[in-house]
Amino acid sequence: MTEADIDTVSAVRVRGWQAAYRGLMPQAYLDAMSVAADAERRRSWFGRRPPEVSDLVAERDGEVVGWACVGPARDSDIAPPEGALTGGVPAGELLALYVSPALIGTGVGRSLLTAAVDRARAAGFGTLYLWVVRGNTRARRFYERAGFVPDGSEEAYEVGGRSVPELRYRRPSAAGPPSAGPPGTASPSPLRGA
C-alpha cells in the first residue's frame, strides 16, 4: 500500500463495514460512516505506523479492490510488554481484511489472507491472531476454512449504543508453505505491500 492508495482503501473499508455488519451494528452508525473521515484518520496514521505493521492491497485492472493489515499482536495476554525480554516467538495479528463487497467470493480475500500470513511469517510471528464479530458467519467460515480456530477469548465493544461481541481466532503463521491457498482456489489477485 502506498499513501496514494489511502482514499481507495478507506472506501473499501467503509463499504466493507456497511455490507458485512448490516444487521449486526446499528444501521444509523453504518450509514453515518464517512470515507473522507476514515481517509483522514488513515492518512495521519500511515506515516507514523510502526515498521513491523504491513498494509497490503489487492488490485484488479490497476484498481485497489481489497486491503489487509498485519502487525504485532495487541492483546496483553498474547503480546509481551514493550521492552520485555521473552524466550518465545512473538505473535502477530491480522488487524484488518476488507474486500470490495461486489468481489466477495472471487478469491481476492483468500489472496490477501495468504499474503498477510506470508508477511506475518516473514516478520517472525509464530502465531497469527484476529478478531471477528461473533454474528459475522460469512467471515467466521472464511477464517475457519483458512485454518483459524477460536481461542476462547471474547470481547464486546460499543458501536452506536449497541454491544457488539467479537471472538478471537488464532492460527500458526508457519502452517503450510508460503503463498499456498486452499486446494482448488482461484489464482491470486495481484498484490502490492509496504
Side-chain angles (χ1 to χ4, degrees), residues 31-42:
D31 291 344
M33 291 182 76
S34 162
V35 171
D38 187 84
E40 185 177 319
R41 280 189 305 276
R42 195 158 312 290

Side-chain angles (χ1 to χ4, degrees), residues 4-165:
D5 296 322
I6 288 175
D7 291 324
T8 308
V9 164
S10 288
V12 167
R13 181 186 173 276
V14 168
R15 301 301 173 246
W17 264 65
Q18 291 170 331
Y21 301 134
R22 182 171 285 119
L24 300 174
M25 295 183 184
Q27 192 60 45
Y29 178 88
L30 295 173
D31 291 344
M33 291 182 76
S34 162
V35 171
D38 187 84
E40 185 177 319
R41 280 189 305 276
R42 195 158 312 290
R43 200 168 275 108
S44 92
W45 181 80
F46 190 77
R48 58 184 174 80
R49 72 182 191 252
E52 55 276 352
V53 172
S54 294
D55 286 284
L56 307 165
V57 294
E59 294 181 328
R60 280 214 174 149
D61 301 323
E63 181 183 339
V64 172
V65 296
W67 165 66
C69 184
V70 66
R74 300 173 291 172
D75 295 335
S76 61
D77 64 326
I78 55 175
E82 209 169 325
L85 295 176
T86 64
V89 177
E93 183 174 347
L94 181 64
L95 303 164
L97 192 154
Y98 292 95
V99 173
S100 296
L103 295 175
I104 291 173
T106 64
V108 174
R110 281 191 306 271
S111 295
L112 277 169
L113 182 57
T114 298
V117 169
D118 286 350
R119 192 60 61 102
R121 183 181 301 115
F125 300 135
T127 301
L128 191 59
Y129 289 84
L130 62 87
W131 286 93
V132 63
V133 172
R134 181 173 44 189
N136 190 345
T137 55
R138 175 184 272 176
R140 290 179 64 188
R141 280 192 310 264
F142 171 78
Y143 292 121
E144 288 167 3
R145 281 193 305 264
F148 285 86
V149 295
D151 76 351
S153 294
E154 184 171 337
E155 280 187 10
Y157 63 99
E158 190 173 309
V159 176
R162 183 188 299 171
S163 179
V164 177

